Amino acid sequence: GQQLNQSPQSMFIQEGEDVSMNCTSSSIFNTWLWYKQDPGEGPVLLIALYKAGELTSNGRLTAQFGITRKDSFLNISASIPSDVGIYFCAGQDSGYALNFGKGTSLLVTP
Amino acid sequence: EPEVTQTPSHQVTQMGQEVILRCVPISNHLYFYWYRQILGQKVEFLVSFYNNEISEKSEIFDDQFSVERPDGSNFTLKIRSTKLEDSAMYFCATQGFGVYEQYFGPGTRLTVT
């Protein structure tokens, strides 16, 4: 599958701070999905994006599908301790198979 | 809220043995997937299954692997002769018709010794 570059690799922030992470690809994707994974569990879908330029929110989470269709970002506002986990971007190109990024590990201190 | 379920949660097996991992998809979903995640690494696509046949597969999904939906309910992944490098978390994911969101199960941790 296509290589996705996800950054940053890890973040260590204080409760209440805003967080931003992004994914870039060398090729175009038709769909971007963002997932959160807690240790030992399956990825949980946070936000799905379908159109270039689309900006979608889910509570304190906001994600955007880049205009070039080669990137996406996820923002978390006013972080809380339960935001701790690994966040993965995933893209779909011609088929339905998801290509995952390597993840951003988020740690939040009270 | 409907969920994808997987059994067993943890499977330990000896190298060369066959294992079958099971998934119960969300009831009205039509597309089924298997992914794997080696410890500390990203999630990797193995295979997708629609209308009782494989629609896509990755290079990882070689002749040692097979999938089926034997009873219209369970969706299974079989590894014929396990290798040490098959040790990983295996996730089932399902998707409804006309949408792109994939919902993941809690995973099966496979340990090959």
Side-chain angles (χ1 to χ4, degrees), chain A residues 9-100:
Chain A
Q9 187 176 346
S10 61
M11 302 184 75
F12 188 74
I13 61 169
Q14 283 198 315
E15 184 176 359
E17 287 184 6
D18 297 343
V19 169
S20 185
M21 59 191 79
N22 68 82
C23 265
T24 59
S25 169
S26 57
S27 302
I28 288 171
F29 281 127
N30 295 321
T31 309
W32 283 97
L33 303 170
W34 284 91
Y35 288 87
K36 178 176 182 266
Q37 186 179 32
D38 291 330
E41 297 184 14
V44 174
L45 181 64
L46 300 174
I47 291 180
L49 302 160
Y50 301 108
K51 295 182 196 174
E54 179 182 354
L55 185 71
T56 297
S57 293
N58 178 8
R60 294 179 295 106
L61 307 178
T62 302
Q64 184 158 30
F65 194 144
I67 287 289
T68 65
R69 294 169 63 192
K70 293 183 180 180
D71 62 324
S72 177
F73 72 74
L74 174 71
N75 286 345
I76 305 172
S77 63
S79 57
I80 58 179
S82 62
D83 290 334
V84 165
I86 302 178
Y87 292 79
F88 290 98
C89 61
Q92 291 172 320
D93 45 32
S94 56
Y96 285 145
L98 289 175
N99 296 291
F100 277 81

Side-chain angles (χ1 to χ4, degrees), chain B residues 28-46:
Chain B
N28 59 346
H29 283 191
L30 299 176
Y31 298 89
F32 313 116
Y33 306 84
W34 285 101
Y35 292 83
R36 80 169 185 193
Q37 186 179 33
I38 294 170
L39 185 64
Q41 297 187 23
K42 69 175 185 176
V43 178
E44 300 174 290
F45 169 73
L46 293 178

